[in-house]
């Protein structure tokens, strides 16, 4: 046989046992992946649930902590406040995001390309950074508040309900916008045309045809906004004032119980998990009963807006553009503005704040980059393998892996951080007080999104390609490396970049895990805001925005990666 015509893949010479292992490595990799998640997701959550049921006096299992939760007005009020905050934020986000999606999907107007993209800025910018920016504008010494007061317009205090709801709505409406926009583009225009041909008015068509078809997507996006609002930590901590919600009370209780019996922080964390799980269950039940199926067709064509309608839509686009970019602009101005404590002297410029962040106290920047790099390397490798298993190698074990990998989406960062502390504070493996547990928290929090991103291209790879490589003598691992990985490469890069930028912005989990000398940029910003040094916090915010936006720009504009794929 001519060597030149030999198969491109040549099986290695191995013993029968090793050959069988190489020929079927996927069950072993699925088991290893599941064990990793069990160590950093399942075990911490089980430990947390057990800790919540321990009597602080006797040390025996009981319901003392939950009785205290029910009987103490502070805890029940925080629970009710969380529900109210979630519901009001959800309604506000849908009222802003859903009409915006309808306008962008159904009309052409000047500035449409900008208004279609700018809501993504609210997803890219960290929520605590947005909270600080609005605080600098509308806080007690905010430049916009002072200007309005000079005009005789008095606003309510930005600390409390007004500030939390305002900031959360403008920070989360993009999720409702993106989901509803995708649903509107998926509607077959023939359905609406049929309603019009049967004599339905525009209002009746919308109520009887369009709205029922969009209802499942509306409920799904409402659930997403609600869970994000309830789990949000930094906005209630920065702007909540005297209004306590579960997310902020969990952190406060954690600080007060540090070194003592942690039963109440565990109880509050369990209640938070059960609340989100209940919302997910109700949403799933309702959506399954309201789902409509249709053949994929062309969406209705966008109508050209003219006259007063065009001017109104353009004005709304400019207003939304200004509001979307305002937090970033305020952060940049604040970083180069002279300040004395919480008072910023606008118009007086300085490089002192940036020099301090980059030269005098660069440790938070270095820590953020190191932790994000560690989490990104581990998370991308894990997501590549897990996504391949979930899409291409379905089994009972892989189905369990798929479920456990998505479980962190239902757990807030603060709850996860406390659970990790309870699990690895004592015993044979002690990770508390090390950078490893912080990187592990970032890994667990962000890997579900990386798995979704890495899975995007796998659905387009036919199984016959791998089968052909194996028939030519390649082992499953060789086939995966030579056939699958090249096709997955863009999706893997997208997963890595998303892991990087979201890890840099994480604070809810790391705020309870960090130790002296391991402050990240978000934690340092939080501490500086708490101390009243808004200009110093802004300097770190500018560095953080650059570390997030530059990779996103390179990925989307230079390498043309689809980072926000809906697959």
């Amino acid at each position: 046989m001519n060597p030149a015509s030999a198969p491109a893949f040549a099986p290695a010479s191995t013993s029968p046992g090793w050959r069988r292992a190489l020929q079927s490595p996927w069950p072993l990799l699925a088991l290893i992946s599941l064990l990793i998640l069990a160590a950093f997701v399942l075990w911490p959550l089980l430990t947390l649930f057990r800790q919540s049921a321990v009597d602080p006096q006797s040390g025996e299992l009981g319901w003392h902590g939950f009785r205290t939760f029910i009987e103490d007005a502070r805890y029940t009020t925080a629970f009710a406040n969380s529900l109210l905050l979630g519901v009001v934020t959800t309604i506000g986000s849908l009222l802003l995001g859903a009409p915006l999606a309808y306008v962008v999907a159904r009309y052409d107007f000047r500035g449409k390309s900008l208004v279609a993209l700018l809501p993504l800025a609210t997803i890219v910018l960290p929520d605590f950074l947005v909270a600080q920016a609005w605080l600098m504008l509308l806080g007690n010494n905010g430049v916009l508040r002072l200007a309005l007061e000079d005009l005789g317009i008095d606003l309510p205090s930005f600390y409390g309900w007004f500030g939390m709801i305002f900031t959360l709505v403008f920070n989360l409406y993009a999720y409702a916008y993106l989901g509803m926009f995708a649903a509107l583009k998926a509607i077959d225009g023939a359905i609406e045309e049929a309603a019009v041909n049967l004599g339905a008015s525009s209002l009746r068509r919308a109520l009887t045809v369009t709205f029922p078809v969009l209802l499942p997507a509306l409920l799904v996006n409402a659930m997403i906004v609600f869970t994000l609002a309830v789990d949000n930590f930094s906005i209630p901590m920065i702007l909540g004032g005297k209004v306590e919600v579960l997310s902020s009370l969990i952190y406060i209780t954690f600080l007060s119980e540090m070194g003592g019996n942690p039963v109440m922080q565990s109880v509050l964390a369990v209640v938070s998990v059960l609340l989100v799980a209940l919302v997910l269950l109700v949403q799933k039940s309702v959506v399954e009963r309201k789902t409509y199926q249709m053949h994929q067709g062309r969406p209705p064509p966008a109508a050209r807006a003219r006259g007063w309608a065009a001017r109104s839509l353009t004005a709304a686009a400019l207003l939304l553009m200004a509001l979307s970019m305002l937090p970033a602009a305020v952060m940049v101005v604040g970083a180069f503005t002279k300040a004395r404590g919480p008072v910023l002297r606008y118009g007086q410029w300085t490089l002192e704040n940036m020099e301090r962040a980059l030269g005098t106290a660069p440790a938070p920047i270095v820590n953020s980059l190191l932790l994000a790099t560690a989490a990104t390397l581990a998370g991308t490798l894990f997501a590549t393998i897990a996504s391949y298993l979930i899409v291409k190698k379905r089994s009972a074990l892989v189905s369990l892996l798929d479920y456990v990998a998505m479980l962190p989406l239902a757990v807030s960062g603060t709850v996860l951080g406390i659970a990790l502390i309870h699990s690895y504070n004592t015993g044979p493996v002690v990770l508390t007080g090390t950078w490893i547990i912080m990187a592990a928290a970032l890994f667990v929090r962000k890997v579900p999104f990386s798995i979704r991103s890495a899975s995007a291209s796998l659905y387009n790879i036919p199984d016959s390609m791998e089968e052909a490589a194996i028939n030519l003598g390649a082992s499953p691992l060789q086939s995966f490396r030579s056939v699958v990985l090249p096709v997955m490469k863009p999706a893997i890069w997208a997963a890595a970049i998303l892991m990087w930028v979201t890890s840099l912005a994480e604070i809810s989990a790391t705020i309870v895990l960090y130790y002296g000398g391991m402050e990240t940029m978000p934690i340092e910003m939080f501490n500086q805001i708490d101390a009243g040094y808004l200009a110093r916090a802004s300097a770190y915010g500018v560095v953080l925005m650059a570390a997030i936006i530059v990779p996103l720009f390179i990925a989307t504009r230079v390498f043309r990666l689809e980072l926000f794929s809906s697959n």
Side-chain angles (χ1 to χ4, degrees):
M1 177 177 174
N2 188 350
S5 63
F9 303 100
S13 177
T14 58
S15 63
W18 282 106
R19 186 178 297 115
R20 284 193 299 269
L22 288 174
Q23 289 175 348
S24 183
W26 307 121
L28 178 60
L29 289 174
L31 179 60
I32 294 173
S33 301
L34 187 58
L35 290 176
I36 293 173
L37 292 178
F40 293 109
V41 179
L42 292 180
W43 175 247
L45 289 179
L46 290 174
T47 303
L48 185 70
F49 273 76
R50 182 186 181 281
Q51 193 68 55
S52 68
V54 173
D55 191 304
Q57 303 298 328
S58 64
E60 298 178 354
L61 294 179
W63 301 102
H64 173 84
F66 289 95
R67 285 199 300 270
T68 302
F69 173 84
I70 295 173
E71 296 170 358
D72 194 320
R74 183 187 185 188
Y75 298 131
T76 54
T77 300
F79 180 80
N81 288 343
S82 292
L83 284 177
L84 181 60
L85 182 64
V87 170
V88 175
T89 300
T90 300
I91 294 173
S93 298
L94 291 177
L95 289 177
L96 186 60
L100 176 64
Y102 186 86
V103 168
V104 174
R106 297 299 174 86
Y107 294 97
D108 283 329
F109 54 93
R110 185 176 299 175
K112 175 178 176 177
S113 58
L114 283 177
V115 75
L117 293 176
L118 280 176
L120 294 177
T122 63
I123 295 178
V124 173
L125 294 178
D127 50 10
F128 62 89
L129 189 152
V130 175
Q132 180 195 348
W134 284 115
L135 186 63
M136 294 166 66
L137 285 170
L138 298 173
N140 294 336
N141 297 303
V143 60
L144 185 56
R145 173 181 289 274
L146 295 178
L148 292 174
E149 288 178 352
D150 291 339
L151 297 175
I153 302 175
D154 292 327
L155 296 177
S157 173
F158 205 66
Y159 291 98
W161 285 110
F162 174 60
M164 287 194 299
I165 292 174
F166 181 91
T167 307
L168 280 171
V169 167
F170 274 94
N171 205 45
L172 298 178
Y173 83 91
Y175 292 92
Y177 162 77
L178 291 173
M180 295 306 298
F181 181 78
L184 283 164
K185 299 298 286 186
I187 292 181
D188 188 352
I191 298 177
E192 293 185 344
E193 291 174 3
V196 173
N197 292 335
L198 290 173
S201 63
S202 298
L203 178 61
R204 185 176 182 184
R205 179 196 64 189
L207 293 177
T208 59
V209 177
T210 307
F211 181 75
V213 174
L214 292 176
L215 185 58
L218 189 70
L219 293 173
V220 169
N221 290 285
M223 178 272 299
I224 293 173
V225 173
F226 180 87
T227 55
L228 290 174
V230 169
D231 288 342
N232 191 279
F233 161 80
S234 51
I235 290 177
M237 281 298 300
I238 294 173
L239 302 176
K242 296 181 180 180
V243 179
E244 290 184 330
V245 296
L246 278 178
S247 58
S248 60
L249 188 56
I250 289 172
Y251 177 68
I252 295 171
T253 307
F254 166 78
L255 294 180
S256 65
E257 291 184 342
M258 189 179 297
N261 194 301
V263 61
M264 286 314 300
Q265 61 182 267
S266 302
V267 168
L268 292 172
V270 168
V271 170
S272 175
V273 172
L274 294 178
L275 172 60
V276 174
L278 178 61
V279 171
L280 292 174
L281 182 64
V282 172
Q283 176 265 334
K284 183 176 184 296
S285 175
V286 174
V287 169
E288 286 178 348
R289 293 199 301 267
K290 296 291 184 180
T291 299
Y292 297 88
Q293 294 185 353
M294 68 180 74
H295 294 289
Q296 183 65 44
R298 60 174 180 84
R304 183 69 184 178
R306 302 181 184 278
W308 68 268
R311 289 191 293 270
S312 299
L313 292 176
T314 301
L318 293 175
L319 177 61
L320 184 62
M321 180 176 65
L323 290 175
S324 298
M325 298 306 296
L326 199 54
V330 169
M331 195 64 54
V332 173
V333 171
F336 296 96
T337 298
K338 287 186 177 181
R340 182 168 185 151
V343 180
L344 280 78
R345 304 181 184 277
Y346 290 103
Q348 299 182 23
W349 307 104
T350 180
L351 294 176
E352 179 184 350
N353 303 314
M354 294 301 299
E355 289 174 350
R356 182 184 182 278
L358 296 172
T360 307
I365 300 174
V366 175
N367 293 337
S368 289
L369 296 179
L370 290 177
L371 290 173
T373 300
T376 299
L377 292 175
T380 304
L381 176 62
F382 184 92
T384 301
I385 296 173
S387 61
Y388 177 77
L389 291 169
I390 291 170
V391 175
K392 294 294 187 179
K393 303 295 178 183
R394 300 297 299 186
S395 66
L397 187 63
V398 171
S399 296
L400 181 59
L401 171 65
D402 188 10
Y403 176 80
V404 176
M406 297 299 127
L407 190 59
L409 296 178
V411 181
S412 68
T414 310
V415 170
L416 176 64
I418 292 174
L420 288 170
I421 289 176
H422 291 336
S423 301
Y424 297 106
N425 196 38
T426 58
V429 180
V430 177
L431 298 178
T432 305
T434 70
W435 67 269
I436 297 176
I437 198 170
M438 297 179 68
L442 296 178
F443 167 85
V444 171
R445 287 274 290 161
K446 309 306 176 184
V447 82
F449 303 101
S450 295
I451 291 175
R452 287 284 305 270
S453 180
S455 301
S457 60
L458 285 170
Y459 295 99
N460 299 323
I461 303 177
D463 295 338
S464 58
M465 291 178 62
E466 291 185 79
E467 293 171 357
I470 293 174
N471 291 336
L472 290 173
S475 68
L477 285 178
Q478 287 176 313
S479 173
F480 174 76
R481 184 177 67 250
S482 302
V483 176
V484 178
L485 279 183
V487 181
M488 286 186 67
K489 189 176 180 180
I492 293 173
W493 274 110
I497 292 171
L498 287 176
M499 187 90 176
W500 167 266
V501 299
T502 54
S503 295
L504 282 174
E506 172 65 29
I507 186 175
S508 57
T510 53
I511 192 70
V512 299
L513 294 171
Y514 86 97
Y515 54 95
M518 277 303 295
E519 294 86 354
T520 61
M521 282 189 282
I523 293 173
E524 184 65 17
M525 289 182 64
F526 180 81
N527 292 337
Q528 294 292 342
I529 294 171
D530 189 52
Y533 296 108
L534 299 182
R536 293 181 181 180
S538 298
Y540 287 107
V542 169
V543 177
L544 180 60
M545 284 193 297
I548 291 175
I549 293 174
V550 170
L552 287 176
F553 178 82
I554 294 174
T556 56
R557 297 298 182 184
V558 178
F559 295 105
R560 306 293 181 182
L561 296 180
E562 294 290 340
L563 298 182
F564 300 99
S565 174
S566 59
N567 291 332

